[in-house]
């Protein structure tokens, strides 16, 4: 496995692989890798594929009062986990080099989905994600890129962006990996103490209960409101949103239409997100 920190040397390595007609699978991450990230990496491996994983804690996607400084960083452990999966390249770019890298041919556009769900509560988030994703895509020019359904809105945002910018990268979604209790794995779970972990379990419980109740009775508004109350009673501090949306993130969902429940909630000072496919 090659550990690469510098854009030019990464591109030289990629060019040599491309000459040998190898396809490139790319998994962008912010590190502190867990089984959720590693499931993307496993899916990215394939016949005649080169797998590149990036580790970059993107400062642009954090708001001023958010956890950029404290975000967990475990580069040595991450490198070990990736070595165990025998991937080809881990790209750990220098922050200044990525931030000053220009993409004159790719201009980040604003999409309407940036104003809903997480975008409503973290207005800088999607522009921040997009600003770095287009740089990484421009540097690597992957054939395939893998994103987790755990961050479904982010996956869908990148998919739309890739279509809009006519990138030749196929965006592939990967199922959410959960712990034995059902909590979606997240680097931010490291912030939770034992008491908070028990409270966090109520998020997936609420999603599953809501899904069950919707299958008995299609009254989304009333059922979601009831389950929001239960979450607050169980110790969740604040709910940013708890919504039913279509797979394309539209608000109006028909009873048998493809849909998902989306939630963002604070457990103490930790903001967690999760979602569950309904139909
Ligand atoms: P992050 O390091 O949080 O930026 O995540 C990098 C990628 O891993 C994103 O595409 C996430 O959606 C994905 N990911 C994070 N947690 C999970 C999980 N529990 N299951 C599946 N994918 C995940």
């Amino acid at each position: 496995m090659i550990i690469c920190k510098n854009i030019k040397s990464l591109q030289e390595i990629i060019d040599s692989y491309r000459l040998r007609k190898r396809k490139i699978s790319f998994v962008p991450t912010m590190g502190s890798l867990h089984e959720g990230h590693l499931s993307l990496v496993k899916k990215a491996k394939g016949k005649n594929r080169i797998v590149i994983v990036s580790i970059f804690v993107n400062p642009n996607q954090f708001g001023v009062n958010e956890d950029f400084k404290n975000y967990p960083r475990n580069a040595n452990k991450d490198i070990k986990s990736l070595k165990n999966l025998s991937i080809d390249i881990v790209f750990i770019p220098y922050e200044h080099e990525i931030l000053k890298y220009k993409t004159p041919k790719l201009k980040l556009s604003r999409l309407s989905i940036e104003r809903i769900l997480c975008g409503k509560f973290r207005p800088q988030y999607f522009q921040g994600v997009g600003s770095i994703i287009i740089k990484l895509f421009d540097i690597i020019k992957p054939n395939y890129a893998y994103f987790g359904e755990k961050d479904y809105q982010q996956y869908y945002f990148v998919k739309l962006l890739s279509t809009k910018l006519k990138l030749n990268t196929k965006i592939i979604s990967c199922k959410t990996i959960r712990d034995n209790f059902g909590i979606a794995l997240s680097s931010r779970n490291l912030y939770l103490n034992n008491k908070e972990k028990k409270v966090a379990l109520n998020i997936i419980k609420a999603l599953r209960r809501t899904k069950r109740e919707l299958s008995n009775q299609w009254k989304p508004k009333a059922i979601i409101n009831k389950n929001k109350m239960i979450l607050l009673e169980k110790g969740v501090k604040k709910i940013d949103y708890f919504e039913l949306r279509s797979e394309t993130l539209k608000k109006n969902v028909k009873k048998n239409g493809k849909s998902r429940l989306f939630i963002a909630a604070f457990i103490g000072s930790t903001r967690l997100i999760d979602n569950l496919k309904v139909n």
Side-chain angles (χ1 to χ4, degrees):
M1 184 175 85
I2 302 171
I3 300 169
C4 194
K5 296 200 166 186
N6 158 290
I7 295 174
K8 194 161 173 283
S9 54
L10 176 71
Q11 286 178 317
E12 282 168 9
I13 301 165
I14 292 176
D15 284 347
S16 75
Y17 281 124
R18 238 190 282 275
L19 282 177
R20 284 178 268 158
K21 305 255 183 282
R22 306 282 299 268
K23 296 262 198 250
I24 293 173
S25 291
F26 176 43
V27 184
T29 81
M30 297 209 296
S32 197
L33 303 180
H34 50 63
E35 285 301 322
H37 298 110
L38 300 182
S39 73
L40 270 56
V41 177
K42 287 174 195 161
K43 197 164 169 180
K45 291 177 73 161
K47 220 173 152 204
N48 211 23
R49 298 263 191 96
I50 294 297
V51 178
I52 304 178
V53 176
S54 67
I55 297 178
F56 181 66
V57 184
N58 169 10
N60 297 354
Q61 72 185 59
F62 290 80
V64 272
N65 295 319
E66 293 182 358
D67 54 340
F68 174 66
K69 274 214 175 108
N70 299 329
Y71 194 82
R73 290 161 172 88
N74 291 304
N76 291 338
K77 187 168 162 267
D78 291 347
I79 288 169
K80 261 193 208 149
S81 311
L82 294 171
K83 262 191 189 152
N84 284 339
L85 292 180
S86 318
I87 66 147
D88 302 278
I89 303 171
V90 51
F91 180 44
I92 313 180
Y94 295 113
E95 188 180 289
H96 68 274
E97 224 197 345
I98 285 290
L99 296 184
K100 75 167 198 244
Y101 182 86
K102 297 265 183 302
T103 57
K105 287 189 194 142
L106 298 179
K107 218 174 145 8
L108 189 59
S109 38
R110 279 205 178 260
L111 304 173
S112 58
I113 66 155
E114 290 176 42
R115 290 195 295 269
I116 59 169
L117 302 174
C118 277
K120 188 170 164 194
F121 295 89
R122 303 180 71 192
Q124 79 297 335
Y125 181 77
F126 288 103
Q127 283 295 299
V129 168
S131 67
I132 296 300
I133 279 291
I134 62 171
K135 292 182 194 217
L136 293 171
F137 278 22
D138 193 57
I139 294 165
I140 295 171
K141 298 192 174 51
N143 301 90
Y144 310 95
Y146 294 78
F147 290 84
E149 285 177 0
K150 146 86 173 38
D151 304 278
Y152 186 89
Q153 189 180 7
Q154 172 178 270
Y155 148 71
Y156 194 65
F157 168 77
V158 176
K159 196 175 160 71
L160 290 182
L161 200 64
S162 169
T163 309
K164 196 152 186 179
L165 298 177
K166 299 191 172 64
L167 304 178
N168 280 323
T169 301
K170 189 168 188 288
I171 308 299
I172 297 165
S173 68
C174 306
K175 292 223 166 336
T176 301
I177 304 298
R178 302 178 180 282
D179 71 10
N180 292 339
F181 303 102
I183 299 179
L185 299 186
S186 162
S187 309
R188 289 196 169 95
N189 292 352
L190 291 172
Y191 298 147
L192 303 173
N193 61 34
N194 285 341
K195 204 173 149 211
E196 288 172 330
K197 272 187 200 146
K198 284 197 182 129
V199 178
L201 185 52
N202 288 291
I203 292 179
I204 183 61
K205 279 190 179 165
L207 288 170
R208 286 177 177 156
R209 192 184 317 109
T210 306
K211 176 175 171 168
R212 221 168 34 241
E213 291 176 355
L214 284 173
S215 73
N216 294 332
Q217 203 185 18
W218 192 254
K219 287 193 173 169
K221 210 170 166 190
I223 292 172
I224 287 175
N225 275 339
K226 189 195 88 179
N227 280 290
K228 266 184 173 175
M229 294 309 292
I230 296 177
L231 275 173
L232 295 169
E233 279 162 17
K234 296 279 183 190
V236 168
K237 198 169 158 209
K238 187 161 85 92
I239 300 168
D240 272 354
Y241 58 79
F242 189 167
E243 292 186 30
L244 179 72
R245 294 224 172 216
S246 72
E247 291 250 298
T248 54
L249 302 183
K250 300 270 183 324
K251 226 175 170 153
N252 289 331
V253 177
K254 296 214 176 73
K255 190 173 174 186
N256 294 317
K258 286 192 168 175
S259 63
R260 279 175 184 268
L261 288 160
F262 293 90
I263 198 163
F266 281 86
I267 311 294
S269 57
T270 305
R271 184 178 185 275
L272 298 180
I273 60 170
D274 201 351
N275 68 86
L276 189 67
K277 193 167 190 280
V278 174
N279 284 315

